Amino acid sequence: MTKYLEIIKKEIDEAELSAVSKKVIKSTLNKIEKMNKTSEDAYKNPDDLIKLIKLFLKNNENLNTSHTFIAHIKSVLKHTTLKDMINETDQNEIEKLFLKYKNLKERKDDAAEPSKKHQENYIPYDDLVKKYKQVKDKLNWKDKLMYGLYVLQPPLRADYGDVKLILDSDDTDYSDINENYFLIDKSRFIINQYKSNKVMNKNGDFIHKPLIFDVDEDVYDLIYDSIEVRLKEEGEMRTYLIEDKFQKPMKANTLSKNITRISMLLFGKNIGIQEIRTIYCSRFQLQDEDCAIEIIIADANKMGHSISTHIKKYMKLYVKPK
C-alpha cells in the first residue's frame, strides 16, 4: 500500500462519515492504488495524485462513474490531511474537475430524449456539414446560401429572410431596431428582430438585446458570392439577404419550408430548421472535453436563446448511427 494512501484510509475510518460513505470512498482510493501498482509505483507520491486522477477520468467513458470518482476525491480532501500533502494548484485543479463533472452530470440529467420524428430525421452535425460542402456547388445560388447559413454556423431560427444588406456601414444608417442587418464591409450580422430579443435588466425592466455576431470566412464568401451572382443576373445588388420571387424579404414560414425541401433533396429526410438547431446543440457527447460549459454559453448566446433552453430543449440524447 502506498504510504500516503494508507494514512488517508485510516483517517477516513476515523472521520465523521456514514459507514456507506467510508466504504465507497475507500473503494475509490483502492482504484488509485491499483492504478499506481499497474504503473509500477510511478505515481507513489501525493504530488502525483493529480496525474492519476486525470488518467482515470481520461480512460473512463461512464459519466456517472467519473462524477462519483472525483466527488470522492473532493470528500477525501475535506476529511483528511490530503489537503496538507498536495499543493494549492493541485487542490484547485481537483475543485475544477469536480465542478466540470458535476455540470456534465446535471446537463445529462436535464437532457431529454429526442422525439420519434427528431430521432428518425437525425444526422450527425458533422455529416450535415460534410454533405453540404460536397454538393453546395451543384445547388442554385439561393439554395446554397440558405442552407449554408444554417449548417456553417450556429443556426438561428427562421430569421435570415428579413435581413437588409448594408454595403458601406460608415455611410449607411443601420440603427433601426425594427430591422435586421448584414454589414458586408464588417462581415457582421445585427439581428434586432428575433424571438428572445427582450431581456430583463437589474431594475426589472425589459430592454432590447440585439444579436450581434461576426461570420467566418466560409459564411462571408457564401454571402458575397450570392451577391455577385445576383449582380450578374440583375445588374443591381438585392436589398435583402434572402428574397422571395417578388424581391421582398423571404417570410419565415417560406424559409423554413425551403430548408426542409433542401434537406429532403440532400438527405431524403424532412430536416427542418428546428431539427438542425437540435442537431447542432447535440453535436457533443456530454463527457467529451469539447463539451465545456463555456461552449454551451457561447452557443446559446449566438443562437438567441437562454442557457436553460439550450440544455433542456435543444440538447438531445440521440442514438448515434453505427
Side-chain angles (χ1 to χ4, degrees):
M1 170 69 72
T2 305
K3 188 168 183 178
Y4 82 93
L5 290 176
E6 189 174 354
I7 293 171
I8 290 169
K9 274 193 172 185
K10 289 180 180 178
E11 291 177 345
I12 288 295
D13 281 332
E14 296 168 1
E16 292 185 4
L17 294 165
S18 69
V20 172
S21 294
K22 291 177 182 180
K23 183 177 180 179
V24 295
I25 290 172
K26 288 200 297 186
S27 175
T28 293
L29 294 173
N30 287 337
K31 290 177 183 176
I32 293 173
E33 176 65 20
K34 185 177 180 180
M35 290 172 66
N36 183 44
K37 285 183 178 179
T38 303
S39 305
E40 298 181 350
D41 284 339
Y43 305 103
K44 62 182 180 181
N45 297 315
D47 288 343
D48 298 319
L49 177 62
I50 191 67
K51 297 175 186 175
L52 285 172
I53 291 171
K54 289 181 176 180
L55 185 63
F56 177 88
L57 296 174
K58 180 181 179 181
N59 293 332
N60 181 68
E61 295 183 355
N62 187 292
L63 180 58
N64 288 331
T65 302
S66 294
H67 172 257
T68 300
F69 178 86
I70 196 66
H72 288 167
I73 299 298
K74 182 175 165 63
S75 185
V76 169
L77 270 178
K78 179 180 179 181
H79 294 285
T80 73
T81 56
L82 178 64
K83 55 183 169 291
D84 301 319
M85 299 180 192
I86 63 175
N87 59 51
E88 186 176 352
T89 300
D90 286 355
Q91 291 184 48
N92 290 337
E93 186 67 18
I94 290 170
E95 181 65 25
K96 287 178 183 177
L97 287 169
F98 170 74
L99 291 174
K100 172 185 174 179
Y101 281 91
K102 179 175 179 286
N103 284 329
L104 287 175
K105 186 176 183 301
E106 287 174 351
R107 294 208 296 273
K108 182 179 180 182
D109 292 342
D110 282 338
E113 297 290 336
S115 67
K116 183 178 179 182
K117 177 190 173 188
H118 277 220
Q119 182 63 60
E120 288 174 350
N121 289 333
Y122 174 70
I123 293 175
Y125 175 70
D126 288 345
D127 291 351
L128 280 178
V129 177
K130 182 179 179 181
K131 179 70 173 180
Y132 169 77
K133 288 184 174 180
Q134 287 174 344
V135 304
K136 61 185 175 70
D137 292 328
K138 297 178 183 178
L139 301 172
N140 65 57
W141 71 264
K142 189 176 286 186
D143 284 0
K144 177 180 176 181
L145 172 63
M146 286 189 290
Y147 213 75
L149 288 170
Y150 282 95
V151 300
L152 296 180
Q153 60 183 349
L156 299 184
R157 298 179 182 89
D159 299 315
Y160 285 119
D162 200 356
V163 175
K164 282 189 173 180
L165 294 171
I166 304 295
L167 187 60
D168 186 346
S169 60
D170 291 330
D171 290 338
T172 309
D173 178 29
Y174 54 90
S175 61
D176 188 348
I177 65 171
N178 294 307
E179 300 280 0
N180 299 324
Y181 303 96
F182 180 70
L183 312 183
I184 299 170
D185 56 340
K186 288 186 169 62
S187 304
R188 182 172 300 158
F189 274 107
I190 301 176
I191 307 296
N192 287 302
Q193 293 301 308
Y194 64 102
K195 185 177 179 179
S196 308
N197 67 348
K198 302 290 186 198
V199 295
M200 186 179 292
N201 65 15
K202 61 182 180 181
N203 297 321
D205 300 319
F206 283 98
I207 59 172
H208 176 70
K209 180 189 177 185
L211 277 178
I212 302 175
F213 58 95
D214 295 342
V215 300
D216 65 15
E217 187 175 344
D218 284 345
V219 177
Y220 179 80
D221 288 345
L222 180 71
I223 295 172
Y224 192 83
D225 289 349
S226 76
I227 293 170
E228 283 199 324
V229 170
R230 177 64 180 272
L231 274 171
K232 290 177 182 177
E233 289 181 354
E234 305 290 339
E236 61 182 7
M237 193 176 88
R238 65 186 184 276
T239 303
Y240 295 96
L241 179 61
I242 305 174
E243 294 180 340
D244 62 19
K245 62 183 178 180
F246 303 109
Q247 298 183 356
K248 300 292 184 183
M250 185 174 285
K251 292 181 179 179
N253 187 49
T254 305
L255 177 57
S256 295
K257 289 180 179 178
N258 274 304
I259 293 299
T260 304
R261 172 183 58 80
I262 300 167
S263 293
M264 180 59 72
L265 178 68
L266 298 184
F267 303 103
K269 294 189 175 188
N270 288 312
I271 302 172
I273 291 174
Q274 177 80 350
E275 283 88 357
I276 292 176
R277 282 167 64 83
T278 303
I279 287 169
Y280 178 82
C281 294
S282 307
R283 69 196 186 281
F284 296 119
Q285 295 294 315
L286 284 169
Q287 63 266 39
D288 286 352
E289 288 292 326
D290 291 336
C291 190
I293 190 64
E294 292 82 6
I295 290 181
I296 288 179
I297 292 170
D299 279 350
N301 288 336
K302 290 175 183 175
M303 294 174 69
H305 54 232
S306 69
I307 298 168
S308 174
T309 296
H310 188 96
I311 294 171
K312 294 186 177 182
K313 180 176 180 180
Y314 288 109
M315 289 187 79
K316 303 293 184 183
L317 297 172
Y318 283 108
V319 176
K320 308 292 182 181
K322 296 181 180 179

